[in-house]
Amino acid sequence: MKSLLVTGGAGFIGANFVHYWLSQYPDHKVVVLDALTYAGNLANLEPVNGLDNFEFVHGDILHTDLVVELLKHHTIDTIVHFAAESHVDRSITGPDAFLETNIVGTHSLLKAAKQVWLDGGVTEHRFHHVSTDEVYGTLAENDPPFTETTAYAPNSPYAASKASSDHLVRAYQETYGLQTTISNCSNNYGPYHFPEKLIPLVITNILEDKPLPIYGDGKQVRDWLFVEDHARGIELVLNKGKVGENYNIGGHNEWHNIDIVQLVCKLVNDAFTADGQLAKRFPNATKAVAGVAEELITFVKDRPGHDRRYAIDAAKSRRELGYEPVESFETGIRKTLHWYLDNESWWRAVMDGSYQDWVKRQYS
C-alpha cells in the first residue's frame, strides 16, 4: 500500500489526478496539501470527500515544518508535486508569487523529503515533480518537437520559475540521492479547468455571449492533452519510471489556438441545435442559439514574449513506460464541453468568486 502526498491537489490537474488515483488504487492513502489560493477549489475534490483513505489539509508548501509533520504522521512514501502558480499572463503582471511558490515552495518540499526520508533512513520513496513543456522555450513552425534532451530556454517568468524548480529537483537527486522523477507535460484540458484558461474560457464566454479574445493572429500552436491521460502518464512514471529521469507526457495533438476556438464554437453551436433545453438553461447565449458562436471571436493585442509553438515528443515515455493517450482530441473535447454544460454551478461559483467564500469563513 502506498501513501501519497499530493500538493496542489485541489487545483485542476491535481484534483483530476487524485480522482484517477483513488479510482485505480482504492487501498492507497492520499493526502492533499493545498493552500487554496485563487485556483484551488475544494469543490474539485467533492467526489472523493468522505473516503476513509483520503484527507485534505489546508496548508502551504512553503511551511516546511508542516510538510515534515505530514510525511511522518501519514508515513508518506510518495510525493506528487503539482502545487504551482501556472498562468502565464499573471506571471507577467506579478512574477513574485511565481518565484515564491514555484521555486522556494519546491525547495521547501525537497528539504522536508530529505529530512524525513534520507536522514530518516527511508529507502523506498519517490518525489515526483510535475513540470511543463514551457521550460523548453518556443519552436518554429518546422522545428522538431521537444524531447527530454532539449535545452531549457524559458521565455516567461512562469516558465523560468518552473525551469528553476526542475533544476532543484535534479540537484537533490544528484547531490543527496533523493529518489526523484520529473514529467514535462503539454497543455491540459478537461473537467475542473479554471475558466481563465483558453478552452473553458471559450466555453463559458459563449454561454454568456461574451467576446472570445484571441491573442495576435491566433496562430500560436499548442499540443493538447486530456487531463486524465496526464494522470495515466504520471501513474506510469511512478510505477515504471527510472529514478533521476525526465519524461515528456504529451497528446500528439498540435492545434493553432484560433482553430481550437473555432472548433469549440462549432461544438457549442451543434450542442444547442441538438438540445433545445440548452437555450432555456443559458438564455444569454444568443449567438449559440443562432448557431453563430464564432461571431464572438475578437482579436486582441498579443501578450509580451508569447511563445509561438510548443510540441512534445513523448517517444521516450511511449518506449520505456508504454505511455499512450487514451482519449483522442475529438472524444476529449466533447467530454470537456459536456462537463461544463452539466456543471454550471461549479464554473459560475468560480467566475463570481463565491467558491472562495467558504475558504475565507473556514480559515480566516
Side-chain angles (χ1 to χ4, degrees):
M1 187 181 86
K2 286 186 179 295
S3 184
L4 283 72
L5 177 67
V6 180
T7 71
F12 162 50
I13 304 177
N16 276 282
F17 173 81
V18 169
H19 299 165
Y20 177 79
W21 195 269
L22 287 172
S23 71
Q24 299 298 308
Y25 303 95
D27 59 333
H28 288 186
K29 176 70 178 288
V30 172
V31 179
V32 165
L33 174 64
D34 200 296
L36 296 179
T37 55
Y38 80 96
N41 188 347
L42 278 175
N44 297 353
L45 295 170
E46 197 170 298
V48 297
N49 276 335
L51 295 179
D52 291 339
N53 57 336
F54 170 78
E55 183 170 329
F56 173 81
V57 177
H58 179 249
D60 199 317
I61 59 173
L62 289 161
H63 298 156
T64 310
D65 290 345
L66 171 61
V67 179
V68 168
E69 179 186 341
L70 292 174
L71 295 181
K72 290 180 176 179
H73 180 73
H74 296 282
T75 320
I76 300 291
D77 54 41
T78 304
I79 295 174
V80 186
H81 177 32
F82 292 97
E85 295 285 346
S86 65
H87 194 248
V88 175
D89 286 358
R90 289 176 182 260
S91 81
I92 293 170
T93 58
D96 288 10
F98 287 74
L99 275 62
E100 184 78 2
T101 297
N102 298 355
I103 301 175
V104 180
T106 298
H107 189 223
S108 171
L109 289 172
L110 289 165
K111 288 190 295 181
K114 176 183 179 297
Q115 178 180 329
V116 175
W117 292 341
L118 298 185
D119 299 348
V122 180
T123 57
E124 294 297 323
H125 62 264
R126 178 70 65 87
F127 186 112
H128 181 72
H129 177 59
V130 181
S131 190
T132 172
D133 56 2
E134 297 194 37
V135 299
Y136 298 123
T138 187
L139 294 169
E141 182 177 354
N142 296 316
D143 286 345
F146 302 127
T147 70
E148 289 82 357
T149 61
T150 300
Y152 278 25
N155 291 321
S156 70
Y158 162 62
S161 68
K162 290 297 289 184
S164 299
S165 64
D166 291 7
H167 292 320
L168 281 170
V169 173
R170 173 182 168 82
Y172 265 71
Q173 192 274 323
E174 292 289 336
T175 302
Y176 303 113
L178 193 69
Q179 295 174 19
T180 69
T181 44
I182 300 172
S183 57
N184 298 82
C185 71
S186 52
N187 279 32
N188 282 214
Y189 69 98
Y192 303 105
H193 204 177
F194 201 78
E196 71 184 0
K197 301 302 180 85
L198 180 63
I199 289 175
L201 177 70
V202 171
I203 293 171
T204 55
N205 276 19
I206 291 173
L207 297 178
E208 289 295 293
D209 251 15
K210 294 180 178 179
L212 309 179
I214 307 297
Y215 281 128
D217 60 4
K219 293 295 185 179
Q220 301 86 3
V221 176
R222 300 293 183 263
D223 176 49
W224 291 92
L225 175 68
F226 190 66
V227 65
E228 190 169 288
D229 281 326
H230 187 187
R232 293 187 183 97
I234 294 172
E235 174 190 28
L236 288 168
V237 175
L238 290 174
N239 289 339
K240 298 182 178 181
K242 183 179 177 182
V243 168
E245 291 291 311
N246 288 51
Y247 295 92
N248 283 348
I249 301 176
H252 316 299
N253 180 48
E254 292 184 52
W255 283 73
H256 290 104
N257 283 353
I258 185 61
D259 295 333
I260 287 277
V261 174
Q262 290 172 338
L263 173 63
V264 173
C265 287
K266 180 183 183 303
L267 293 176
V268 176
N269 289 340
D270 292 347
F272 272 74
T273 299
D275 183 357
Q277 292 300 311
L278 290 178
K280 297 178 181 179
R281 289 177 50 208
F282 301 102
N284 293 336
T286 63
K287 295 293 187 181
V289 171
V292 291
E294 61 277 6
E295 291 183 0
L296 295 169
I297 293 174
T298 304
F299 290 90
V300 299
K301 182 180 178 181
D302 209 352
R303 72 182 178 209
H306 199 174
D307 291 337
R308 193 64 173 173
R309 174 174 169 249
Y310 305 139
I312 281 281
D313 182 348
K316 177 182 176 180
S317 295
R318 186 167 56 246
R319 182 177 63 252
E320 297 186 11
L321 308 177
Y323 167 75
E324 198 69 49
V326 171
E327 297 290 344
S328 68
F329 192 62
E330 180 179 354
T331 61
I333 198 68
R334 290 181 183 278
K335 284 184 176 181
T336 301
L337 170 59
H338 286 290
W339 188 88
Y340 279 88
L341 291 174
D342 293 341
N343 289 272
E344 180 184 2
S345 61
W346 179 89
W347 56 262
R348 287 205 184 278
V350 172
M351 293 176 72
D352 66 19
S354 60
Y355 76 110
Q356 284 284 322
D357 290 347
W358 184 90
V359 175
K360 293 174 183 176
R361 291 195 303 270
Q362 186 78 6
Y363 298 113
S364 59

